[in-house]
Amino acid sequence: MRITTITAAILMAMGSAVNADPDAIQGVIGDQIEAFKADDFATAFTFAAPSIQGIFRTPENFGQMVRQGYPMVWRPGSVEYLRSVERGAAWTQEVLVTDAQGRLHKLAYLMVETDQGWKIAGVELLMAPEIGA
């Protein structure tokens, strides 16, 4: 399920720019990835934006989606933060993840600021691993 397009459209319509702290944004992403690596989906779920929590309703449903749709985030080999881009009322943080097999995946994390701090409102796969010889 790809919800980032819908979420991004809603956020673009919300309005003004926000000041982002790249360290805070990267910290949220990193903390969620650490929770995934520990199979602590309850903690990982707390880093999701309310819109994502509303869609998946439980940490178990959320965890199942991540294991099936984003295995490179669930079990990354390495994580490198790239550029951050303002998107109206949200920010996009690009992340380069090497999976357990050594394949590269470029992801865009859509980040929104809430009363509880920065939250992840969606993840889009920008670059799939190359296939073939």
Side-chain angles (χ1 to χ4, degrees):
M1 172 184 284
R2 297 283 188 236
I3 57 171
T4 54
T5 304
I6 296 167
T7 305
I10 292 168
L11 291 170
M12 295 294 181
M14 286 175 52
S16 66
V18 295
N19 292 321
D21 175 2
D23 291 335
I25 287 172
Q26 292 170 11
V28 169
I29 295 167
D31 288 348
Q32 187 183 60
I33 289 173
E34 288 303 312
F36 286 144
K37 288 166 57 174
D39 288 333
D40 183 355
F41 296 110
T43 296
F45 197 55
T46 67
F47 298 108
S51 59
I52 300 298
Q53 291 179 354
I55 291 168
F56 292 102
R57 303 220 181 261
T58 69
E60 294 76 22
N61 291 341
F62 181 66
Q64 180 179 0
M65 179 277 298
V66 171
R67 286 190 306 270
Q68 292 175 352
Y70 298 91
M72 76 292 287
V73 173
W74 176 47
R75 292 292 187 261
S78 67
V79 176
E80 178 184 346
Y81 298 99
L82 304 173
R83 68 186 182 125
S84 296
V85 179
E86 178 185 344
R87 302 280 185 221
W91 281 78
T92 298
Q93 172 66 58
E94 293 182 358
V95 180
L96 189 63
V97 176
T98 304
D99 67 19
Q101 290 75 38
R103 294 178 299 222
L104 293 175
H105 304 267
K106 187 175 179 184
L107 305 166
Y109 278 75
L110 181 64
M111 306 296 297
V112 294
E113 192 169 31
T114 70
D115 292 340
Q116 293 78 41
W118 288 98
K119 299 291 182 176
I120 300 167
V123 178
E124 180 181 2
L125 182 62
L126 299 176
M127 181 182 76
E130 291 185 20
I131 299 174

